[in-house]
Amino acid sequence: MKVESAINLQGMVFTIGTTPNEIMFKKGEQFKDEMANTLQVTVDGKDMMLAQARRIEMHDKLDNWIDGVEE
């Protein structure tokens, strides 16, 4: 299983594990705080809140897994 994690300075935000047949999302102790984080960031030239960037990151992982894209 390929495992990737998002971490902030206070701890684990989430972990995503994938195989060709499975996907696993696991919330970390910082998940709730990170999903409410209003800090402004720039991702791919777009300004957004950090919470939105994290959501996009998780959705992209799911979309890639559904499409069978190996990252």
Side-chain angles (χ1 to χ4, degrees):
M1 178 175 277
K2 179 179 177 184
V3 178
E4 298 178 57
S5 297
I7 302 169
N8 67 21
L9 293 176
Q10 287 75 41
M12 185 69 65
V13 178
F14 60 81
T15 299
I16 300 172
T18 58
T19 70
N21 298 315
E22 297 179 302
I23 189 164
M24 176 269 308
F25 288 86
K26 182 177 180 184
K27 294 178 182 179
E29 67 273 4
Q30 288 296 308
F31 185 82
K32 185 176 179 180
D33 290 338
E34 194 83 348
M35 292 300 106
N37 194 328
T38 60
L39 178 72
Q40 291 292 311
V41 296
T42 302
V43 179
D44 295 330
K46 298 176 186 174
D47 293 332
M48 64 185 74
M49 291 185 298
L50 182 57
Q52 183 62 28
R54 290 294 194 197
R55 289 176 185 273
I56 290 169
E57 182 179 3
M58 289 185 287
H59 282 271
D60 286 348
K61 296 287 184 194
L62 178 58
D63 287 341
N64 287 338
W65 178 80
I66 289 169
D67 294 339
V69 176
E70 293 291 326
E71 293 183 356

